Amino acid sequence: NINLWAGYSSATAGSSSGLHHDYHDNLYVLLRGKKVFTLFSPDCAESIHTYGKLAKVHTNGRINYIGQETRADGADLKVAE
């Protein structure tokens, strides 16, 4: 799975992608300007407002919600069995 993120912002307005988590690893390439990342440890998941009720946080940081559980590599449990 590959994610490509591209965008444009004026020098005064800046841009924001909002607080979120990604299901897969990402490579971020910035061609011009600057981007500030604030990273949280997976240990903080229970303290941050999340999309649903947490089922599990894998050791690699992958977050699972109740009813949407996966393996740590993201494979669906039903397919993985």
Side-chain angles (χ1 to χ4, degrees), residues 26-74:
N26 288 276
L27 174 63
Y28 194 92
V29 178
L30 184 64
L31 300 178
R32 186 185 325 179
K34 66 180 182 176
K35 175 78 173 177
V36 176
F37 290 91
T38 302
L39 304 177
F40 294 92
S41 166
D43 296 335
C44 296
E46 292 184 9
S47 302
I48 298 173
H49 178 73
T50 56
Y51 172 77
K53 295 222 179 244
L54 294 178
K56 180 176 185 170
V57 179
H58 292 277
T59 56
N60 66 355
R62 182 172 179 85
I63 296 173
N64 283 177
Y65 297 106
I66 293 174
Q68 301 175 351
E69 292 88 351
T70 65
R71 295 187 327 200
D73 65 359

